[in-house]
Amino acid sequence: MLTSEQIDDFHRTGFVHLRGFFDIDSEIVPILSQLHRLIGMIAEDEGIRIDRKPFSIEGFDDGLFALLAKDRRLVGRLYDAAKQLPSFCRLTASEKHEKLYRCLRGESFPAVPAGGQGIRIDLPGEERYRAPWHQDYPNQLRSMDGLVFWAPLRSVKPEMGPVELCVGSHRGGPLPVVMGDSANPDKTGAYGMLLHKEETVISGFDRIAPLSEVGDLLVFDYLLVHRSGSNVSSQVRWSMQMRFFNFAESTGRRIGWRGSFAAGVELASVHPDLVVQGPVRDDR
């Protein structure tokens, strides 16, 4: 599925960008179509009148801003529903993903973490749910050997805030974090988990923000430091996050493949060594 050069680059940089990995008609369109239907159903249930255009790949989220105008919580309802779409679940657990994991990790036992999948809805100008610099392992646990499969459902332009990656940062292992951000008290859970001495950490790496098209797949290591970009466009940035971990990895076996926030597990109960106590601000 990959060339030896791509595999070598992945191990060096912590990520690989696979263009045209998905078949748009058979793998992406069913998800977009079901999202379109969900938006219409929520609008109908809430008595919101929307003059919708017929379904199209680019206009699949027609009506979303009408939900937002009535109540931001309706977008949250859509977010929770989207991760349960059969088309999305089928794609997540597809055999091609399992093969890709083994291609990058060699002899491994790939697994799909419960609660580790989702479809992000990043609204223009909204910062509350924008993910700060982080590694996925402290958020997800299960196994230190894990991969994030990130794919756009709308082509990402610079102003839409592409995901930002610290190249090669996965090689430093898991980094300590501080729980809670005094400057952003409305951010809770994983959104409020900050890298300890964040500015010092990220200053040591080159950063890249790959632009991607519908059908592309970006794969990165659980330990790669990354964050959501700021969406300053007029469009919603839609993306899929599909996570996988390795049953066979020693840390995961030691902790019994326990999960983190989505499974109700506190990071400190599994890795007290990764949680720094004290004030957040001072270089985070």
Side-chain angles (χ1 to χ4, degrees):
M1 301 182 75
L2 300 175
T3 66
S4 59
E5 182 180 11
Q6 286 175 311
I7 296 172
D8 289 343
D9 283 345
F10 170 80
H11 290 300
R12 177 178 58 85
T13 64
F15 71 93
V16 62
H17 186 176
L18 304 177
R19 298 191 182 278
F21 181 81
F22 296 114
D23 180 83
I24 294 177
D25 289 338
S26 65
E27 295 176 310
I28 302 299
V29 167
I31 297 172
L32 302 182
S33 177
Q34 290 181 346
L35 286 171
H36 182 268
R37 184 176 180 184
L38 276 178
I39 292 170
M41 291 176 68
I42 295 173
E44 181 181 352
D45 292 343
E46 294 295 322
I48 302 172
R49 296 178 61 86
I50 52 177
D51 183 17
R52 307 184 83 194
K53 298 176 182 177
F55 168 77
S56 66
I57 292 177
E58 185 57 32
F60 71 93
D61 61 349
D62 187 25
L64 178 63
F65 286 117
L67 304 185
L68 178 62
K70 179 167 183 178
D71 192 335
R72 173 62 178 79
R73 289 174 295 182
L74 298 180
V75 180
R77 185 189 303 178
L78 175 63
Y79 169 80
D80 290 336
K83 65 183 69 176
Q84 301 172 82
L85 291 173
S87 54
F88 175 61
C89 295
R90 280 194 297 270
L91 182 62
T92 295
S94 65
E95 187 177 4
K96 67 189 294 187
H97 285 165
E98 191 174 354
K99 289 180 178 179
L100 179 57
Y101 194 107
R102 288 199 179 97
C103 189
L104 290 168
R105 291 303 200 213
E107 293 298 322
S108 58
F109 187 174
V112 178
Q117 327 306 324
I119 296 178
R120 283 189 62 98
I121 308 171
D122 288 284
L123 300 171
E126 185 172 75
E127 288 291 307
R128 179 177 181 179
Y129 299 107
R130 188 166 76 92
W133 290 111
H134 68 285
Q135 298 173 309
D136 263 52
Y137 177 66
N139 295 343
Q140 299 292 327
L141 296 177
R142 306 288 184 185
S143 168
M144 201 171 294
D145 177 8
L147 300 177
V148 181
F149 288 14
W150 188 100
L153 289 175
R154 169 170 288 140
S155 296
V156 180
K157 304 175 179 65
E159 62 273 17
M160 293 172 68
V163 62
E164 299 178 60
L165 312 171
C166 287
V167 180
S169 55
H170 64 300
R171 291 178 289 180
L175 299 170
V177 300
V178 181
M179 305 302 297
D181 185 350
S182 58
N184 297 283
D186 59 334
K187 288 193 173 187
T188 59
Y191 296 107
M193 181 188 292
L194 301 176
L195 292 177
H196 181 53
K197 297 191 178 299
E198 176 187 273
E199 293 301 327
T200 300
V201 170
I202 64 174
S203 67
F205 301 99
D206 293 331
R207 284 177 261 173
I208 187 171
L211 301 181
S212 50
E213 302 289 333
V214 176
D216 288 1
L217 175 64
L218 185 65
V219 182
F220 50 91
D221 193 288
Y222 255 25
L223 296 177
L224 189 75
V225 176
H226 62 286
R227 71 173 177 180
S228 297
S230 293
N231 185 358
V232 296
S233 75
S234 60
Q235 291 185 302
V236 177
R237 186 179 73 240
W238 289 82
S239 60
M240 299 183 290
Q241 289 76 45
M242 299 167 282
R243 296 179 177 90
F244 301 84
F245 70 92
N246 183 5
F247 271 133
E249 188 267 331
S250 60
T251 300
R253 296 177 71 172
R254 177 175 59 80
I255 66 175
W257 308 299
R258 291 165 67 192
S260 190
F261 287 109
V265 178
E266 294 291 332
L267 175 63
S269 70
V270 180
H271 281 291
D273 54 307
L274 292 182
V275 179
V276 177
Q277 304 299 327
V280 174
R281 305 310 297 175
D282 267 349
D283 193 18
R284 306 291 275 263

